[in-house]
Amino acid sequence: ERPKIWLPRHLRQTLVKKVGETINIVIPFQGKPRPKIIWMKDGKTLDSKDVGIRNSNTDTILFIRKAELHHSGAYEVILQIENMTDKVAITMQIIDKPGPPQNIKLVDVWGFNAALEWTPPQDDGNAQILGYTVQKADKKTMEWYTVFDHYRRTNCVVSDLIMGNEYFFRIFSENLCGLSETAATTKNPAYIQKTGTTYKPPSYKEHDFSEPPKFTHPLVNRSVIAGYNTTLSCAVRGIPKPKIFWYKNKMDLSGDAKYRMFSKQGVLTLEIRKPTPFDSGCYTCKAVNECGEAEIECRLDVRGNQ
């Protein structure tokens, strides 16, 4: 019977195992008389001191009690009966946790942000580096908090840091086996300055929203009865907020206790307490800001209380 190896499906792709795991590979075959079985690794006959091999009439078993990185490689099983052969190849990849990233640097600190850079670990644990875990710690508490998980790039910006605090950063590398045992940590802390003096404002010209005062609601002529408090109202807008002056017959009213002036969200009010016929006259409201000025007036008649 011709020699024929039946390679199990899971061995047709790379067999990935972690350091320390047990490996037990069973490969069934057929062929009569009992074939000669040769195991090769990377083109050389396999050293049976390092691994256990057991052959029967129907299968061959490769056994490794505790996998180590040097067990990785290309294995070949050759079945021989007289001048007939069959062979199969198996690729084994033993992986370990990676080493920590290298050359971690605090590149820049501005506002509430810190920029970090690093290089991949020297030892990748025989597996592709899947990403990095970035953590921060406040110097006061030294409690570590994860900022980024499974992060792919080798530079990052950590934001939302608290003003006046100092921060250390550390980075773990990660492969299929997990996170590195140790982390790369920044030597010096990043100090988040309290003053905003280091902030450079953007160079673009800001839109100028300023506008001169303009009355949006006029003063209205009024006729009132003496002895009852009365008010005059108008509305103004302007940026920056205008200063307001009230006049009666061109005389400034700001120091006169008889009058009270209010300004609320652009609505201007002049209250005249218990007016007498003497308070009749022409009232003017004037609004002034750095862009210009505007004024508006009305007449007030106070009739004697009959």
Side-chain angles (χ1 to χ4, degrees):
E1 188 177 19
R2 289 186 68 86
K4 172 71 182 159
I5 299 172
W6 300 102
L7 186 65
R9 184 182 291 270
H10 73 278
L11 295 173
R12 291 177 197 171
Q13 55 214 22
T14 302
L15 179 69
V16 179
K17 290 282 185 181
K18 295 178 183 176
V19 166
E21 283 188 334
T22 302
I23 296 172
N24 193 18
I25 296 175
V26 180
I27 299 177
F29 60 77
Q30 63 188 52
K32 286 180 183 160
R34 181 170 172 171
K36 182 183 177 190
I37 298 155
I38 304 164
W39 278 85
M40 311 277 286
K41 179 180 180 238
D42 299 329
K44 295 177 188 157
T45 306
L46 190 57
D47 183 1
S48 58
K49 288 188 216 124
D50 198 24
V51 299
I53 294 171
R54 190 185 66 75
N55 300 323
S56 74
N57 289 333
T58 55
D59 58 29
T60 177
I61 297 170
L62 175 82
F63 181 77
I64 301 173
R65 193 175 297 282
K66 273 179 111 175
E68 291 176 29
L69 288 175
H70 67 81
H71 289 131
S72 301
Y75 289 77
E76 199 172 28
V77 183
I78 301 165
L79 212 58
Q80 212 168 18
I81 301 177
E82 295 170 5
N83 62 349
M84 295 179 290
T85 58
D86 190 18
K87 59 183 176 184
V88 291
I90 300 163
T91 307
M92 204 185 298
Q93 184 181 356
I94 310 300
I95 62 171
D96 199 359
K97 289 180 178 178
Q102 294 187 294
N103 309 322
I104 181 170
K105 276 197 302 223
L106 185 62
V107 185
D108 196 7
V109 179
W110 74 100
F112 304 103
N113 312 290
L116 300 170
E117 256 179 23
W118 62 93
T119 54
Q122 202 166 7
D123 173 18
D124 62 5
N126 200 29
Q128 182 191 356
I129 297 295
L130 299 176
Y132 300 93
T133 295
V134 181
Q135 297 185 330
K136 67 177 179 183
D138 192 321
K139 191 179 173 184
K140 289 178 211 149
T141 61
M142 285 312 285
E143 286 179 21
W144 292 99
Y145 294 96
T146 299
V147 185
F148 296 110
D149 239 349
H150 317 303
Y151 186 81
R152 299 301 294 264
R153 296 205 297 266
T154 54
N155 54 60
C156 71
V157 174
V158 182
S159 303
D160 300 329
L161 300 174
I162 295 167
M163 190 187 281
N165 289 11
E166 292 183 83
Y167 290 90
F168 284 99
F169 302 95
R170 71 179 183 187
I171 299 168
F172 294 89
S173 31
E174 183 182 9
N175 65 8
L176 266 175
C177 216
L179 292 180
S180 55
E181 296 283 355
T182 56
T185 308
T186 50
K187 286 192 184 74
N188 302 319
Y191 177 58
I192 308 304
Q193 291 196 344
K194 280 189 176 172
T195 55
T197 51
T198 52
Y199 173 68
K200 300 184 187 78
S203 57
Y204 60 80
K205 189 170 180 290
E206 286 194 20
H207 179 69
D208 186 8
F209 287 100
S210 54
E211 58 169 323
K214 182 181 178 189
F215 283 96
T216 55
H217 199 280
L219 281 174
V220 180
N221 293 338
R222 296 200 62 187
S223 177
V224 299
I225 295 169
Y228 296 99
N229 286 4
T230 188
T231 56
L232 301 175
S233 290
C234 59
V236 72
R237 75 160 191 242
I239 298 172
K241 188 177 171 183
K243 283 188 174 165
I244 306 301
F245 304 93
W246 286 92
Y247 301 93
K248 174 195 166 197
N249 299 336
K250 308 287 190 238
M251 296 286 289
D252 189 354
L253 300 178
S254 53
D256 195 327
K258 189 177 178 83
Y259 303 95
R260 286 206 314 188
M261 294 144 202
F262 303 99
S263 170
K264 191 173 180 186
Q265 294 178 339
V267 177
L268 312 175
T269 307
L270 178 72
E271 184 184 56
I272 306 161
R273 300 183 187 187
K274 299 192 175 168
T276 64
F278 171 76
D279 291 311
S280 300
C282 180
Y283 285 81
T284 307
C285 181
K286 185 176 182 182
V288 181
N289 71 7
E290 58 198 37
C291 301
E293 56 182 64
E295 57 179 57
I296 194 167
E297 56 183 40
C298 72
R299 261 209 82 72
L300 178 68
D301 285 324
V302 183
R303 301 195 304 276
N305 197 348
Q306 307 284 313

